């Protein structure tokens, strides 16, 4: 699990980028500190669910826009929580371990991290997914785009060492001989792409392309998800025992987050402003870039499937795709071991207005 978290740390934090003048303050501000934030507004019900400990998968950038909005607008309090503690993630934090230890009711994670933990004996399960698509991508310059996996043949692709398992599985999924593509060992500064030392760059589609855009560099983005490597991401992870012991809390959490993310979809700038000026104010975030990230992530938060079924729901097809994609990387797990979607199903059955709102 550590390798993946380190990969996220460097990919999402914008480490390096010195040649483009992008600050590395994000990494300096990372850590496992748990910052508490009290929900605003008045309680809308008689429920008293106590404090909510909510472990984020990364530092407090716009990735968690829906939670910031739910906190600020009082949606958690309306759902019955007295307060919410949005616990910052980072390179030193294993979100799944925090949830497994009982220090947080819920965590945001990724299926590969959670599956690995479960196979090692962790009492964890996925309730739903904020991202309906895998956010990994191959980024290229706009004037020399890489639009398909086959376009990589004969090209140089910058790949970080910690991303090699995903890279290798992606090549396997597309029947591409690794020898036909020149893999260039890379760090996490995409300057080699800008200087054309490489033709493509391994990245999250929400991050580097938007960081580069704010510096006047236009890119083309090929999502791995759309080319043989589909997988949901930003998943809700809880202890399996919580499905029984804290089911009311899980429903309340999802209701509040659905409202928060619905607002973020309607106004991408709202969460970006909260990230830059409140929740991540010590990170030196560029609010303009955060808006771009918010707009990008909204394209995988709201899809035709979630419009039909509700935010965070996962179709049977997406479950099957995720299980198959994990297998490509050597992680063999069943859907019953990894997913329990009964709670999110009940949320929409009991609150059909939430589906209409999302």
């Amino acid at each position: 699990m550590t390798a993946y978290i380190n990969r996220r740390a460097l990919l999402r934090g914008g480490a390096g980028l010195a040649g483009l003048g992008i600050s590395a303050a994000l990494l300096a501000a990372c850590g496992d500190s748990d910052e508490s934030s009290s929900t605003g507004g008045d309680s809308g019900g008689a429920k008293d669910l106590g404090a909510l400990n909510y472990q984020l998968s990364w530092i407090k950038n716009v990735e968690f826009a829906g939670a910031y909005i739910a906190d600020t607008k009082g949606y958690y309090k309306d759902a019955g929580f007295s307060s919410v503690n949005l616990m910052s993630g980072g390179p030193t934090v294993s979100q799944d371990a925090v949830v497994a230890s009982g220090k947080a009711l819920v965590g945001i994670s990724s299926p590969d991290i959670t599956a690995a933990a479960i196979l090692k004996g962790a009492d964890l399960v996925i309730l739903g997914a904020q991202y309906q698509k895998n956010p990994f991508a191959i980024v290229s310059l706009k004037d020399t785009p890489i639009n398909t996996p086959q376009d990589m043949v004969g090209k140089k692709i910058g790949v970080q060492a910690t991303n090699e398992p995903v890279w290798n599985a992606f090549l396997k999924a597309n029947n591409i001989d690794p020898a036909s593509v020149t893999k260039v060992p890379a760090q996490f500064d995409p300057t080699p792409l800008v200087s054309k030392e490489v033709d493509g760059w391994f990245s999250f589609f929400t991050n580097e392309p938007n960081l580069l855009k704010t510096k006047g560099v236009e890119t083309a983005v090929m999502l791995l998800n759309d080319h043989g490597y589909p997988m949901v991401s930003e998943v809700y992870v809880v202890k399996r025992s919580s499905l029984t012991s804290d089911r009311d809390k899980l429903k309340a959490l999802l209701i509040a987050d659905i409202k928060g993310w619905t607002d973020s979809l309607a106004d991408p700038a709202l969460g970006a402003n909260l990230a830059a000026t409140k929740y991540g104010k010590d990170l030196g975030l560029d609010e303009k870039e955060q808006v771009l990230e918010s707009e990008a992530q909204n394209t995988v938060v709201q899809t035709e499937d979630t419009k039909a079924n509700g935010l965070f729901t996962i179709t049977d097809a997406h479950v099957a795709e995720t299980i198959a994609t994990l297998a490509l990387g050597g992680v063999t797990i069943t859907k019953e071991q990894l997913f329990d979607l009964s709670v999110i199903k009940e949320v929409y059955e009991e609150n059909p207005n939430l589906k209409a709102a999302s």
Side-chain angles (χ1 to χ4, degrees):
M1 293 188 292
T2 302
Y4 186 85
I5 290 177
N6 285 340
R7 174 177 74 227
R8 286 174 58 84
L10 294 166
L11 276 174
R12 310 304 285 282
L17 295 174
L20 297 175
I22 299 174
S23 172
L26 294 179
L27 284 180
C30 295
D32 58 355
S33 61
D34 297 348
E35 299 178 18
S36 296
S37 53
S38 299
T39 50
D42 299 322
S43 177
K47 290 182 293 184
D48 182 8
L49 301 177
L52 169 63
N53 290 322
Y54 190 152
Q55 179 62 60
L56 307 179
S57 59
W58 186 231
I59 58 173
K60 293 182 179 179
N61 62 7
V62 76
E63 183 173 335
F64 312 105
Y68 305 151
I69 295 169
D71 185 24
T72 299
K73 290 195 173 184
Y75 296 151
Y76 293 118
K77 182 168 284 188
D78 290 345
F81 294 107
S82 58
S83 63
V84 59
N85 180 19
L86 296 176
M87 302 159 67
S88 182
T92 62
V93 179
S94 173
Q95 61 269 27
D96 289 66
V98 173
V99 175
S101 72
K103 293 180 181 178
L105 174 67
V106 64
I108 300 299
S109 191
S110 179
D112 52 351
I113 299 176
T114 303
I118 291 171
L119 292 174
K120 291 178 181 178
D123 175 40
L124 299 173
V125 70
I126 292 172
L127 296 185
Q130 291 177 356
Y131 288 7
Q132 298 296 305
K133 289 187 175 184
N134 176 359
F136 277 116
I138 301 297
V139 181
S140 53
L141 297 179
K142 186 177 181 180
D143 59 353
T144 53
I146 293 174
N147 296 318
T148 70
Q150 289 69 34
D151 290 344
M152 297 190 301
V153 173
K155 303 290 180 61
K156 296 178 181 179
I157 310 295
V159 181
Q160 304 77 16
T162 49
N163 288 332
E164 287 187 10
V166 176
W167 165 255
N168 292 331
F170 178 57
L171 294 181
K172 180 180 178 181
N174 287 279
N175 298 312
I176 294 177
D177 181 355
S180 69
V181 183
T182 302
K183 181 185 69 179
V184 178
Q187 297 300 318
F188 300 90
D189 180 345
T191 299
L193 175 65
V194 180
S195 62
K196 301 184 179 180
E197 296 172 49
V198 296
D199 304 295
W201 195 260
F202 205 95
S203 169
F204 269 45
F205 89 103
T206 54
N207 193 271
E208 278 94 325
N210 289 313
L211 287 169
L212 293 173
K213 187 173 184 178
T214 62
K215 299 301 175 182
V217 180
E218 294 295 329
T219 60
V221 177
M222 179 183 71
L223 275 178
L224 272 58
N225 192 97
D226 296 340
H227 296 277
Y229 203 78
M231 182 167 63
V232 294
S233 192
E234 297 297 277
V235 294
Y236 287 93
V237 175
V238 301
K239 293 179 69 173
R240 187 175 286 274
S241 58
S242 295
L243 296 175
T244 301
S245 64
D246 292 308
R247 200 172 187 88
D248 55 343
K249 293 183 181 180
L250 299 179
K251 289 182 181 180
L253 159 74
L254 290 170
I255 288 170
D257 271 15
I258 289 167
K259 292 179 179 178
W261 277 104
T262 297
D263 289 351
S264 182
L265 290 167
D267 182 5
L270 178 56
N273 175 261
L274 289 173
T277 65
K278 182 179 180 181
Y279 295 89
K281 63 182 179 181
D282 58 334
L283 299 177
L285 299 171
D286 179 338
E287 187 170 345
K288 179 180 177 181
E289 189 273 335
Q290 292 289 286
V291 172
L292 294 176
E293 285 200 31
S294 184
E295 292 172 343
Q297 74 180 356
N298 280 354
T299 67
V300 294
V301 170
Q302 185 176 63
T303 64
E304 291 305 313
D305 287 328
T306 63
K307 287 179 182 178
N309 304 314
L311 295 179
F312 316 150
T313 57
I314 309 174
T315 65
D316 290 343
H318 285 335
V319 167
E321 288 173 347
T322 298
I323 296 297
T325 296
L326 292 175
L328 287 171
V331 178
T332 302
I333 193 168
T334 67
K335 63 180 181 181
E336 291 79 13
Q337 287 176 292
L338 189 57
F339 295 99
D340 187 311
L341 305 179
S342 62
V343 177
I344 188 67
K345 180 180 179 182
E346 288 176 16
V347 164
Y348 283 111
E349 288 176 345
E350 296 165 5
N351 303 273
N353 58 305
L354 290 177
K355 185 184 296 186
S358 64

